Amino acid sequence: MSSNRVKSAKLSASLWLCLFLILFCCVAVKGAQRQVIASQDNFQYTGRIDFRQPQTAIISWPGTRIQGAFTGTQLAITLDDQWGKNYFNVFIDDETEPRKIIACQQGKHRYLIADDLADKPHTFTLFKRTEGEEGRTKFLGVSLSEQGELLPPPAKPTRKIEFFGDSVTSGMGNEAKVGEADHIPAEKNNYLAYGAITARDLDAEYVSISQSGIGVMVSWFDFTMPQFYDQLDAVGNNDTKWNFQRWQPDVVVVNLLQNDSWLIDREERLQPKPSEEDIVAAYRDFLGDLRNIYPNAYIIAALGSMDATKPGSKWPSYIERAVEQIKQTTGEQRMATFFFPYTGFEQHPRVVQHRKNAALLSAFIKTKMNWQ
């Protein structure tokens, strides 16, 4: 090949490279995104969220939510997950099914939610499906279209409901198939647990302080709800503290003792075995702790719908005795018991049971609170 042809070939290659770079830059500019960090005022946070790290919101409790309104056609969310075990629902606008379920990878990643939205205002909700046992997740912010912006978020509901519970309240296995294992994180969806459904039914702000396996006197691990309920962070038993003055619920639902019933009666893990009076006293003391921090809330001492409420079980009676003792000694007027019926289903409740239980609880709360 002559030197002129070599030069011509090199020149053509250079021209093609230049054209490619120009086209690439045009595409990159067209797809450019605007970054909005987590500390921006227009994000709406619901739940116990740790803001101790700059420009970061650390999420650990199930049911924790981040909401916002934005303009533009694109939305991506940046998360930094501790172990790569957490799952989140992301809803756009008024969707009843999530636009995307984020299966977190360990470490920092940007998750594309949508890039083909109508060019108008939208809302989004990021909802934590999983629990503290799946680890912490750092919310670092969102990415919008180049001309997009974060708008003031929708108003929060005026009603407030908080749930203290175990795996039933967390939603353990609620999306699993009947007869199959119900401990898989991907099939744990707090959004479709009875508490979250109840809160939506009643148009109430929702907080879930729950942990699978936890009890009042004994758990499947080395801490109990009276040691755990006041934490800011939900990953194990730790020394973080939540400021209860920041958020006062109208209604508190306590659904505990399922694990106590199993571990005391069947496993006999608590030795010496507590008497009935011991059990009643422990539950009564925990209700007393909740009354101290929430002096104006209506407290519902609930149980079910697993086998602790099956016919012949003594565990509902322990709750009834504890509540009656509180009423007799303090004159308590804003406390009641509520038991989800045992249906014979031998696993963690699935979504169909959660929906039925939510309908029962919603009706009960409406009556007690005179909510329409």
Side-chain angles (χ1 to χ4, degrees), residues 149-344:
E149 61 178 332
L150 199 65
L151 305 173
K156 286 187 176 185
T158 57
R159 299 169 178 172
K160 302 180 181 71
I161 303 180
E162 186 168 31
F163 290 77
F164 292 86
D166 50 37
S167 56
V168 176
T169 302
S170 288
M172 169 74 80
N174 60 347
E175 291 191 330
K177 293 181 179 179
V178 174
E180 296 188 2
D182 54 10
H183 66 281
I184 300 171
E187 297 172 338
K188 179 190 299 183
N189 185 1
N190 186 262
Y191 185 82
L192 293 179
Y194 76 94
I197 298 171
T198 297
R200 290 195 295 276
D201 287 347
L202 299 174
D203 191 24
E205 188 176 351
Y206 164 72
V207 171
S208 178
I209 306 303
S210 57
Q211 169 62 55
S212 294
I214 205 164
V216 174
M217 299 187 74
V218 60
S219 305
W220 291 90
F221 32 79
D222 61 357
F223 59 90
T224 62
M225 183 59 83
Q227 299 168 310
F228 184 65
Y229 79 104
D230 61 350
Q231 294 178 187
L232 167 63
D233 180 280
V235 183
N237 188 19
N238 59 66
D239 60 2
T240 61
K241 294 296 181 183
W242 170 248
N243 180 1
F244 289 100
Q245 296 305 312
R246 291 183 57 183
W247 194 83
Q248 290 276 310
D250 301 301
V251 177
V252 172
V253 179
V254 181
N255 189 353
L256 293 165
L257 292 186
Q258 172 63 44
N259 291 302
D260 298 79
S261 71
W262 190 280
L263 293 172
I264 291 173
D265 288 347
R266 300 193 186 193
E267 299 278 330
E268 297 185 350
R269 293 200 185 186
L270 195 57
Q271 296 296 330
K273 185 175 181 177
S275 66
E276 291 188 358
E277 289 73 21
D278 292 332
I279 297 170
V280 171
Y283 189 84
R284 183 190 65 226
D285 289 346
F286 181 61
L287 292 184
D289 291 340
L290 294 179
R291 174 52 76 213
N292 286 336
I293 60 174
Y294 297 139
N296 300 314
Y298 198 103
I299 298 176
I300 298 172
L303 184 60
S305 59
M306 295 181 74
D307 62 5
T309 57
K310 70 191 307 182
S313 172
K314 292 184 177 181
W315 290 86
S317 70
Y318 300 152
I319 295 175
E320 291 173 330
R321 287 163 60 181
V323 170
E324 186 59 31
Q325 288 177 14
I326 291 173
K327 289 181 175 181
Q328 290 181 357
T329 57
T330 67
E332 173 69 60
Q333 298 294 316
R334 294 178 59 77
M335 187 178 293
T337 61
F338 181 85
F339 304 116
F340 298 103
Y342 176 67
T343 62

Side-chain angles (χ1 to χ4, degrees), residues 8 30 50 71 77 84 100 103 132 180 244-245 264 345 368:
S8 177
K30 183 178 179 181
D50 186 349
T71 59
I77 295 175
K100 184 178 182 66
E180 296 188 2
F244 289 100
Q245 296 305 312
I264 291 173
F345 188 70
K368 294 297 182 180

Side-chain angles (χ1 to χ4, degrees), residues 63-115:
T64 305
R65 292 179 307 296
I66 300 173
Q67 296 173 292
F70 65 99
T71 59
T73 62
Q74 301 178 37
L75 175 69
I77 295 175
T78 301
L79 304 175
D80 186 347
D81 197 69
Q82 183 177 11
W83 297 320
K85 296 181 179 181
N86 277 301
Y87 287 78
F88 289 83
N89 291 331
V90 183
F91 301 90
I92 300 292
D93 298 331
D94 296 323
E95 294 172 338
T96 57
E97 296 291 332
R99 173 68 60 101
K100 184 178 182 66
I101 297 174
I102 297 176
C104 287
Q105 302 175 53
Q106 187 175 26
K108 180 181 176 181
H109 297 275
R110 187 175 70 92
Y111 300 93
L112 178 64
I113 308 305
D115 60 1

